[in-house]
Amino acid sequence: PLSPLREESDYMAAYCAYLDAPDFSLDQTYTYQAIDQMQAFINHYPHSSRIKDCNDIIDKLRGTLEKKSFESAKLYYTIGEYKAAVIALKNTLIEFPDSRYKEETLFLILKSSFIYAKNSVAEKKKDRMADAISEYYTFSGEFPNSGFINEAKKIYNQASEIVKN
């Protein structure tokens, strides 16, 4: 504990935990452990010259968690579980509000809401279409120049027509 190399060995232990962190498609237990160890190093050595490296590694690890969350939520859309997709995609935005996948996430929420509403029983269809319209406003307000905007407008027009009738 009194070694002059203690800081170096603590950093290397945290860095090894980072190297153990898997690809986004696998279980992220080691990713969380690596973040915790890097943060512990930062807290224990706040004036270390390695703080920037630790913060960069933490950002990279959080990016892995963000991608895992997005891809897992998107999978519900892919397999046709639209209600679950809406919930999971919204949870991704709660956990990662400034996500680099935010545009696609909001669009998939809109599309999933619409498809879910379209496949609903008649007595629930109107309310669920209103939810899809609300998701359109959220998406178009956030990304008015999106590459998805034309498809989003088509969804909005179809949903509005269904609500009118």
Side-chain angles (χ1 to χ4, degrees), residues 19-42:
L19 294 176
D20 280 344
D23 185 57
F24 79 92
S25 62
L26 301 173
D27 177 54
Q28 295 302 304
T29 301
Y30 291 117
T31 304
Y32 286 109
Q33 290 174 357
I35 290 172
D36 290 345
Q37 287 188 28
M38 283 291 169
Q39 190 60 54
F41 178 85
I42 290 170

Side-chain angles (χ1 to χ4, degrees), residues 143-158:
F143 298 101
N145 300 319
S146 170
F148 300 115
I149 199 69
N150 289 333
E151 190 174 351
K153 286 178 183 175
K154 288 178 188 174
I155 291 170
Y156 169 76
N157 290 335
Q158 290 177 14

Side-chain angles (χ1 to χ4, degrees), residues 28-124:
Q28 295 302 304
T29 301
Y30 291 117
T31 304
Y32 286 109
Q33 290 174 357
I35 290 172
D36 290 345
Q37 287 188 28
M38 283 291 169
Q39 190 60 54
F41 178 85
I42 290 170
N43 294 344
H44 197 262
Y45 303 101
H47 303 294
S48 174
S49 61
R50 296 184 183 267
I51 296 296
K52 183 186 179 323
D53 293 338
C54 290
N55 285 326
D56 290 345
I57 289 170
I58 289 172
D59 288 344
K60 185 175 181 184
L61 292 168
R62 286 189 178 142
T64 301
L65 295 175
E66 176 186 348
K67 185 171 184 178
K68 171 80 172 186
S69 180
F70 172 71
E71 292 294 338
S72 296
K74 185 179 174 183
L75 183 61
Y76 285 112
Y77 171 80
T78 303
I79 64 172
E81 293 291 335
Y82 301 111
K83 183 177 181 180
V86 170
I87 293 166
L89 289 162
K90 285 183 176 184
N91 286 340
T92 295
L93 288 178
I94 289 168
E95 193 173 352
F96 302 100
D98 295 328
S99 173
R100 61 183 173 216
Y101 307 105
K102 188 172 187 175
E103 180 180 352
E104 188 175 357
T105 301
L106 287 173
F107 177 70
L108 288 174
I109 290 170
L110 164 62
K111 198 168 181 181
S112 296
S113 294
F114 175 71
I115 295 170
Y116 179 63
K118 195 166 82 171
N119 294 330
S120 294
V121 293
E123 56 266 2
K124 294 186 178 189

